[in-house]
Amino acid sequence: MSGSEVGVLRTYEVRTYGCQMNVHDSERLSGLLEDAGYVRAPAGADGADVVVFNTCAVRENADNRLYGNLGQLVPKKAARPGMQIAVGGCLAQKDRETIVKRAPWVDVVFGTHNIGQLPVLLERARIADEAQVEIAESLETFPSTLPSRRESAYAAWVAVSVGCNNTCTFCIVPALRGKEKDRRPGDVLAEVEALVAEGVIEVTLLGQNVNAYGSDIGDREAFGKLLRATGAVEGLERVRFTSPHPRDFTDDVIAAMAETPNVMHQLHMPLQSGSDTLLKAMRRSYRQDRYLGIIEKVRAAMPDAAITTDIIVGFPGETEEDFEQTLHVVREARFAQAFTFQYSKRPGTPAAEMDGQIPKAVVQRRYERLVALQEEISWEENKKQVGRTLEVLVAEGEGRKDDATRRLSGRAPDNRLVHFERPAQEVRPGDMVTVEITYAAPHHLLAERPASAVRRTRAGDAWERRNAAPAAPAGVMLGLPTIGVPAQSEGAAAGAGAGGCSVG
């Protein structure tokens, strides 16, 4: 049964919470629904026939937020005959039957391992007129083999693995997404090649612990080999990956980054804490010296590398000395940016039951000190970019003030955000613009002089085709896409900061 009845197309909306893996999964959910004949609800539309929540479970109040949002749909569902609500993702995998008990108006509950079943479950719920709850205990189909509605014409996530073999005490993800499962290198490369053929010029390799890739086959250098092979795909201009774990970060990966021209000199390396005592309590399996040693090697091989991180403040038992050790690492590493978060209990994790929970006021003061230090460092590091000439990949939706300032925005090779003067010639999202940096702020760079060059790309052509194509009767939406590295969903940064959702 398709998403249309008697010639009427049924609309859908996917609401995504959490990490990059959830964003990737949501692209698959959208693709599945469109393959089944549903059409994406237009932006600003008052409701949809099917609303899908792709949930995250790493925040303490994730369930309260979900039920609040579900409650807001009760009057809409009552006023819209045939409307269906589905809940998937990590919270669905964790809570299962509880969701239908607390929100009996939900029609479908599915887990992280069986997202491919969503259209079938919706149809089954419609026919049976009762909720369908189906939670698989292990992965049924690797998400990347499912249909996809990509949000970007030029940038794409490509999952190389799902699941995680680590046991970090603050993280519930391994319990919800299972042990790590790796894709065959040939399958990863085939997907990359297909994306490039469609116009994609930037790919981000994605995994909960991306550089542990190869653990299934016992090859510790498998990820470095995959980076080199991905970089060899003709027509692919930028390769990124997220997120590695310091425990598994090997010298061959640094060499692959430094020696493969289209692998960007950008690294997101989660720290979580600079204290060896806390790292042990977190079960992070590395210590401060090991972490700083990796940073030193990366900088020796790639002096221009931009390194970002995740840090948790206020983990149970954190003393002032522990916190000072985190500040020490921040000063030594000189991160381009840090995603900093106050610890909050994740139900079901060992850390939630630990003694020494830190008072909120203490955590807040430490958090403010850390943010102030990192802001200072970010600004100093960005000032070093002033005077440099960079080729910027033009994005859409990156600069919130672009219309008011008559500027455009995009990402430098090291992923720094750049705002630049709108060139006289036509520039499309996905094209490349060469600019000189004239000003630096803590979180962005500014190029106030005219661009020295504009390079039209296949990605710009793809964006143009996507926007010029008429709406297809099958219901596939061909409206304005989001151009740029696929935008983080609501709560994505929080998931990253927790170190428990698609990060190392």
Side-chain angles (χ1 to χ4, degrees), residues 95-141:
D95 287 353
R96 307 181 181 223
E97 303 287 347
T98 305
I99 293 174
V100 175
K101 290 178 182 176
R102 290 188 59 177
W105 55 93
V106 168
D107 300 278
V108 170
V109 179
F110 62 100
T112 59
H113 299 312
N114 63 323
I115 65 174
Q117 293 298 310
L118 176 59
V120 172
L121 293 172
L122 287 168
E123 183 60 12
R124 194 186 299 166
R126 187 189 67 83
I127 294 172
D129 195 25
E130 65 179 12
Q132 301 294 306
V133 179
E134 191 167 298
I135 306 290
E137 296 302 327
S138 60
L139 192 66
E140 293 183 348
T141 305

Side-chain angles (χ1 to χ4, degrees), residues 235-252:
L236 185 59
E237 299 198 23
R238 293 184 173 186
V239 179
R240 306 185 190 277
F241 60 92
T242 196
S243 285
H245 191 295
R247 183 193 70 179
D248 301 302
F249 201 81
T250 49
D251 291 349
D252 64 294

